[in-house]
Structure formats: structure tokens, C-alpha cells
Amino acid sequence: MFAEERQRLVADRVAEVGRVSVTELAERFSVTTETVRRDLAALESAGALRRVHGGAVPAERGVTSEVSLLERQIQNLLEKHAIAEAAAELVASSRAGSVLLDAGSSTEELAERLMGTRPDGNSLVIVTNALPIADKLAADPNLNVQLLGGRIRPLTRAAVGPATVEAVERLRPDLAFVGTNGLHAAFGLSTPDAEEAGVKAAFVRCARRVVALVDHTKFGVETLVQFARLDQLDAIVTDRAPEGDVAAALAEAGVEVVEAGTP
């Protein structure tokens, strides 16, 4: 295989899965890791990807880059639907009386599936810092919906800041569902914004059981601010089971991996 053809396939792979490792590419194309690194350097120079420690990510993905909530809502829709269905089953099977929902597109999908689940009047308490989630859930009279206060961040329409963190720290919910921009074997869970990270970290500290909703494109990704170590999680719900370093790190940390089936 010529270098140009291999590099095109490498670029396609990065675009498809979101992050690739040097080792994975070397095995995939039966070349040395040095050859892969030269390919990645050439592709980075051409603007086709961005090199990171141990591999590469799409060119537009930087540690501080962040898309709007509206953009996230239309990305990986089938995967997010499946993740939300599996997460809703966790709520039902755990018989949780209180649930903390982080802001984000995956947690908003979960919120939709929690509506209408308590018709018997045995109210489920749902606490969230997300305006869209609170507005959606408020239409269900059998849910006890509580909205956390704080400064509203326009990009995510979520309450953030010291007041939000202080309010979270007074809670002890049965379950917390958090979203993340990246899940990395060494760096853990991260997000580009420090205030969002502060709230997410408080969610992780306060809940009896912490579950991260993570589609496969987030595996191996590091963004600017860490908000949780892997050993602070009880489980992740994902559309595709992780492999390699991420899978090994989750297993070592004792994190349950719930793989949601996609259509």
C-alpha cells in the first residue's frame, strides 16, 4: 500500500471513530509505529487531523473546543437514544427515589424517558442544573422536579458557578447521571469549561451512585478540565464497549460498562 493511500485511510478512520491510537493504526495497516507517526505528522501538516499523546483526533477537536447544545442534540442520535433507553432501565431497576441529571444532550434524552414512569403517584425527585431538562420534566405532574440555581451559561443553558456547586453539595441523591466531553484512561472524565467542570465534580462527589453517559466518540479524548477520576464512577452507559487502554482502565477502576444496543 502506498503512503498516500494509507494516509487517506488513516484520516477516514479518525473521522469515523473520533480518536485513534498509534498502536491501533500500526496493527491495522501492518506497519511500524514510526511509520504511523510519520503519517500522522503529514496529515496534521495538511490539516486533516490533530496529533495528541499516543494518537490523533479530528482537526477541529481541541481541548477547549465545545459545540452548542443544539449541535450536540443532532449528533450521534441513534447512539444517544440507545444510551438513554439503557439509562432509564437503570433508574427503574434501582428503584431510585432521587436522581440528579447533569446538563447535556444525552441526559436530556434520558429525561424524556423518565416522563410518565411514575403514574402511581410515587413521585420521583429529579434535580438538575439544566433549563431544557427542567422545562421538559415540569410537564409531568408525577415528577418532583427541582432546578438548581446559579449563573446560566448560554452555550449549554446550564446553571454553573459557586452557588450551583454549593446547592449540589447539600444533596445526597440516589443516582447521578453525568455527561462528558472526554473519557480517557489516564485523565478520566473532562470538559472544556472550568465552571461546568466544577458542577460536574460536585455531582460526582454527592451521589450514592454515579453513572456517566458516554457515546463511543468520547473514548480516549482529553479536554481541558478534569472533573472525575475513573475510580469515582460506578458505571458508564455507552453505545459501544470501549477497547484497549480505556477498557483496561475502566476494568481496573471497577467501573461497570453497560453497553446499550443500537438499531
Side-chain angles (χ1 to χ4, degrees):
M1 182 183 296
F2 292 112
E4 292 80 4
E5 181 184 359
R6 186 179 61 250
Q7 288 170 13
R8 176 179 57 79
L9 293 173
V10 169
D12 289 345
R13 181 66 177 165
V14 173
E16 177 189 356
V17 303
R19 180 183 175 116
V20 294
S21 71
V22 170
T23 303
E24 171 202 338
L25 293 174
E27 293 176 354
R28 189 179 188 88
F29 297 106
S30 300
V31 296
T32 66
T33 55
E34 289 76 12
T35 297
V36 171
R37 290 190 178 93
R38 286 195 294 271
D39 286 343
L40 295 182
L43 289 166
E44 185 176 50
S45 296
L49 50 75
R50 185 172 66 85
R51 286 185 293 172
V52 296
H53 179 70
V57 297
E60 70 274 9
R61 181 183 285 172
V63 295
T64 60
S65 64
E66 192 173 7
V67 299
S68 69
L69 179 59
L70 180 60
E71 289 176 279
R72 279 184 279 172
Q73 286 172 332
I74 61 175
Q75 293 175 340
N76 304 314
L77 276 177
L78 290 178
E79 291 85 350
K80 288 176 181 176
H81 290 166
I83 288 169
E85 290 284 356
E89 290 176 9
L90 286 182
V91 176
S93 63
S94 69
R95 299 185 179 180
S98 54
V99 173
L100 191 56
L101 291 183
D102 183 20
S105 55
S106 294
T107 47
E108 189 168 345
E109 288 284 346
L110 170 57
E112 288 190 9
R113 285 153 181 81
L114 295 179
M115 297 181 70
T117 59
R118 298 293 175 100
D120 55 3
N122 183 18
S123 183
L124 175 66
V125 177
I126 301 181
V127 184
T128 184
N129 66 323
L131 288 178
I133 290 176
D135 184 57
K136 188 185 300 288
L137 294 176
D140 187 338
N142 291 315
L143 295 176
N144 181 341
V145 183
Q146 300 179 18
L147 178 62
L148 296 165
R151 180 183 72 82
I152 301 301
R153 186 169 179 246
L155 187 68
T156 56
R157 300 183 66 197
V160 296
T164 313
V165 172
E166 183 180 347
V168 174
E169 289 177 339
R170 292 197 296 267
L171 301 174
R172 187 67 167 157
D174 296 319
L175 268 172
F177 290 95
V178 297
T180 185
N181 295 76
L183 189 158
H184 188 270
F187 195 56
L189 276 63
S190 60
T191 193
D193 183 76
E195 286 191 306
E196 293 264 6
V199 176
K200 290 174 184 289
F203 280 19
V204 170
R205 290 193 301 269
C206 79
R208 299 179 191 277
R209 181 170 168 82
V210 181
V211 181
L213 306 184
V214 193
D215 71 71
H216 70 276
T217 64
K218 309 295 177 58
F219 293 141
V221 174
E222 299 168 281
T223 56
L224 185 62
V225 188
Q226 183 199 64
F227 66 85
R229 303 184 312 273
L230 295 185
D231 63 7
Q232 292 179 286
L233 301 178
D234 293 287
I236 68 166
V237 182
T238 182
D239 60 298
R240 187 187 303 174
E243 301 175 349
D245 292 347
V246 172
L250 288 167
E252 184 178 354
V255 179
E256 178 187 3
V257 176
V258 178
E259 187 175 1
T262 53

